[in-house]
Short mmCIF file of all heavy atoms in Angstrom, two decimals:
data_model
loop_
_atom_site.label_atom_id
_atom_site.label_comp_id
_atom_site.label_asym_id
_atom_site.label_seq_id
_atom_site.Cartn_x
_atom_site.Cartn_y
_atom_site.Cartn_z
N ALA A 18 -6.09 -11.90 11.35
CA ALA A 18 -5.81 -13.15 12.04
C ALA A 18 -7.16 -13.49 12.85
O ALA A 18 -6.98 -14.48 13.69
CB ALA A 18 -4.60 -13.21 12.84
N CYS A 19 -8.09 -12.76 12.84
CA CYS A 19 -9.38 -13.11 13.54
C CYS A 19 -10.54 -12.35 12.78
O CYS A 19 -10.41 -11.91 11.71
CB CYS A 19 -9.25 -12.52 15.02
SG CYS A 19 -9.40 -10.61 15.02
N SER A 20 -11.70 -12.56 13.38
CA SER A 20 -12.90 -11.95 12.85
C SER A 20 -13.71 -11.06 13.79
O SER A 20 -14.73 -10.73 13.72
CB SER A 20 -13.88 -12.94 12.28
OG SER A 20 -14.38 -13.82 13.44
N THR A 21 -12.96 -10.57 14.86
CA THR A 21 -13.64 -9.71 15.88
C THR A 21 -14.04 -8.32 15.46
O THR A 21 -14.81 -7.67 15.99
CB THR A 21 -12.71 -9.49 17.13
OG1 THR A 21 -11.37 -8.97 16.82
CG2 THR A 21 -12.43 -10.94 17.73
N CYS A 22 -13.44 -7.85 14.28
CA CYS A 22 -13.85 -6.57 13.72
C CYS A 22 -14.88 -6.73 12.70
O CYS A 22 -15.12 -5.80 11.86
CB CYS A 22 -12.64 -5.76 13.25
SG CYS A 22 -11.75 -6.49 11.90
N HIS A 23 -15.55 -7.80 12.57
CA HIS A 23 -16.57 -8.01 11.67
C HIS A 23 -17.76 -6.99 11.56
O HIS A 23 -18.18 -6.66 12.59
CB HIS A 23 -17.23 -9.36 11.86
CG HIS A 23 -18.48 -9.75 11.11
ND1 HIS A 23 -19.55 -10.44 11.64
CD2 HIS A 23 -18.90 -9.54 9.85
CE1 HIS A 23 -20.55 -10.53 10.79
NE2 HIS A 23 -20.02 -10.08 9.61
N VAL A 24 -18.03 -6.38 10.34
CA VAL A 24 -19.06 -5.45 10.24
C VAL A 24 -19.82 -5.80 9.08
O VAL A 24 -19.41 -6.58 8.24
CB VAL A 24 -18.37 -3.98 10.05
CG1 VAL A 24 -17.60 -3.60 11.16
CG2 VAL A 24 -17.60 -4.07 8.80
N VAL A 25 -21.08 -5.26 9.04
CA VAL A 25 -22.06 -5.50 7.95
C VAL A 25 -22.31 -4.16 7.34
O VAL A 25 -22.59 -3.22 8.00
CB VAL A 25 -23.35 -6.05 8.60
CG1 VAL A 25 -24.28 -6.31 7.24
CG2 VAL A 25 -23.12 -7.54 9.29
N LEU A 26 -21.92 -4.16 6.06
CA LEU A 26 -22.03 -2.82 5.31
C LEU A 26 -23.30 -2.62 4.52
O LEU A 26 -23.83 -3.74 4.09
CB LEU A 26 -20.86 -2.70 4.41
CG LEU A 26 -19.50 -2.77 5.02
CD1 LEU A 26 -18.45 -2.96 3.98
CD2 LEU A 26 -19.24 -1.70 6.01
N GLU A 27 -23.74 -1.53 4.16
CA GLU A 27 -24.80 -1.25 3.22
C GLU A 27 -24.38 -1.82 1.90
O GLU A 27 -23.25 -1.70 1.44
CB GLU A 27 -25.09 0.28 3.14
CG GLU A 27 -25.57 0.84 4.43
CD GLU A 27 -25.73 2.39 4.24
OE1 GLU A 27 -25.33 3.00 3.17
OE2 GLU A 27 -26.24 2.97 5.29
N ASP A 28 -25.37 -2.30 1.09
CA ASP A 28 -25.15 -2.87 -0.20
C ASP A 28 -24.33 -1.87 -1.10
O ASP A 28 -23.38 -2.33 -1.74
CB ASP A 28 -26.37 -3.11 -0.89
CG ASP A 28 -27.13 -4.44 -0.38
OD1 ASP A 28 -26.53 -5.16 0.45
OD2 ASP A 28 -28.25 -4.52 -0.62
N SER A 29 -24.71 -0.64 -1.07
CA SER A 29 -24.13 0.38 -1.91
C SER A 29 -22.61 0.58 -1.66
O SER A 29 -21.83 0.80 -2.59
CB SER A 29 -24.82 1.68 -1.89
OG SER A 29 -24.78 2.18 -0.56
N ILE A 30 -22.25 0.48 -0.46
CA ILE A 30 -20.74 0.61 0.08
C ILE A 30 -20.10 -0.71 -0.27
O ILE A 30 -18.94 -0.56 -0.83
CB ILE A 30 -20.70 0.99 1.41
CG1 ILE A 30 -21.30 2.38 1.71
CG2 ILE A 30 -19.26 0.89 1.96
CD1 ILE A 30 -20.72 3.57 0.93
N TYR A 31 -20.65 -1.84 0.10
CA TYR A 31 -19.97 -3.05 -0.11
C TYR A 31 -19.58 -3.31 -1.55
O TYR A 31 -18.55 -3.73 -1.81
CB TYR A 31 -20.95 -4.22 0.43
CG TYR A 31 -20.34 -5.61 0.16
CD1 TYR A 31 -19.64 -6.12 1.27
CD2 TYR A 31 -20.67 -6.31 -1.02
CE1 TYR A 31 -19.04 -7.53 1.02
CE2 TYR A 31 -20.03 -7.62 -1.17
CZ TYR A 31 -19.38 -8.17 -0.15
OH TYR A 31 -18.71 -9.36 -0.36
N ASP A 32 -20.69 -2.96 -2.42
CA ASP A 32 -20.38 -3.14 -3.92
C ASP A 32 -19.22 -2.31 -4.38
O ASP A 32 -18.69 -2.71 -5.57
CB ASP A 32 -21.68 -2.84 -4.68
CG ASP A 32 -22.72 -3.79 -4.47
OD1 ASP A 32 -22.41 -4.93 -3.90
OD2 ASP A 32 -23.89 -3.52 -4.66
N LYS A 33 -18.84 -1.24 -3.78
CA LYS A 33 -17.88 -0.40 -4.19
C LYS A 33 -16.39 -0.83 -3.74
O LYS A 33 -15.41 -0.26 -4.25
CB LYS A 33 -18.10 1.06 -3.85
CG LYS A 33 -19.21 1.73 -4.46
CD LYS A 33 -19.55 3.06 -3.96
CE LYS A 33 -20.77 3.70 -4.72
NZ LYS A 33 -21.12 4.95 -4.16
N LEU A 34 -16.29 -1.64 -2.78
CA LEU A 34 -15.09 -2.05 -2.23
C LEU A 34 -14.40 -3.17 -3.05
O LEU A 34 -15.02 -3.82 -3.83
CB LEU A 34 -15.24 -2.64 -0.92
CG LEU A 34 -15.79 -1.72 0.16
CD1 LEU A 34 -16.11 -2.55 1.49
CD2 LEU A 34 -14.83 -0.57 0.47
N PRO A 35 -13.01 -3.12 -2.99
CA PRO A 35 -12.32 -4.26 -3.73
C PRO A 35 -12.69 -5.54 -3.17
O PRO A 35 -13.17 -5.63 -2.03
CB PRO A 35 -10.88 -3.90 -3.50
CG PRO A 35 -10.78 -2.69 -2.67
CD PRO A 35 -12.18 -2.22 -2.34
N GLU A 36 -12.54 -6.57 -3.90
CA GLU A 36 -12.92 -7.96 -3.36
C GLU A 36 -12.10 -8.26 -2.12
O GLU A 36 -10.83 -7.86 -2.02
CB GLU A 36 -12.74 -9.04 -4.38
CG GLU A 36 -13.72 -8.96 -5.43
CD GLU A 36 -13.78 -10.28 -6.39
OE1 GLU A 36 -13.34 -11.27 -5.91
OE2 GLU A 36 -14.06 -10.18 -7.44
N ALA A 37 -12.58 -9.10 -1.14
CA ALA A 37 -11.95 -9.37 0.00
C ALA A 37 -10.76 -10.46 -0.45
O ALA A 37 -10.97 -11.15 -1.41
CB ALA A 37 -12.88 -10.17 1.01
N SER A 38 -9.70 -10.43 0.24
CA SER A 38 -8.51 -11.26 0.03
C SER A 38 -8.96 -12.81 0.50
O SER A 38 -9.91 -12.86 1.23
CB SER A 38 -7.21 -10.82 0.76
OG SER A 38 -7.54 -11.03 2.13
N ASP A 39 -8.21 -13.67 0.17
CA ASP A 39 -8.47 -15.07 0.62
C ASP A 39 -8.39 -15.17 2.12
O ASP A 39 -9.14 -15.88 2.77
CB ASP A 39 -7.55 -16.10 -0.06
CG ASP A 39 -7.71 -16.28 -1.59
OD1 ASP A 39 -8.90 -15.97 -2.00
OD2 ASP A 39 -7.01 -16.79 -2.20
N ASP A 40 -7.37 -14.44 2.71
CA ASP A 40 -7.23 -14.42 4.08
C ASP A 40 -8.34 -13.92 4.79
O ASP A 40 -8.79 -14.38 5.78
CB ASP A 40 -5.91 -13.73 4.52
CG ASP A 40 -4.78 -14.45 4.23
OD1 ASP A 40 -4.74 -15.69 3.98
OD2 ASP A 40 -3.67 -13.91 4.16
#
Side-chain angles (χ1 to χ4, degrees):
C19 73
S20 63
T21 59
C22 66
H23 169 217
V24 295
V25 179
L26 302 171
E27 295 175 356
D28 290 340
S29 61
I30 296 299
Y31 180 87
D32 292 341
K33 292 178 183 174
L34 296 176
E36 286 191 29
S38 68
D39 289 341
D40 288 340

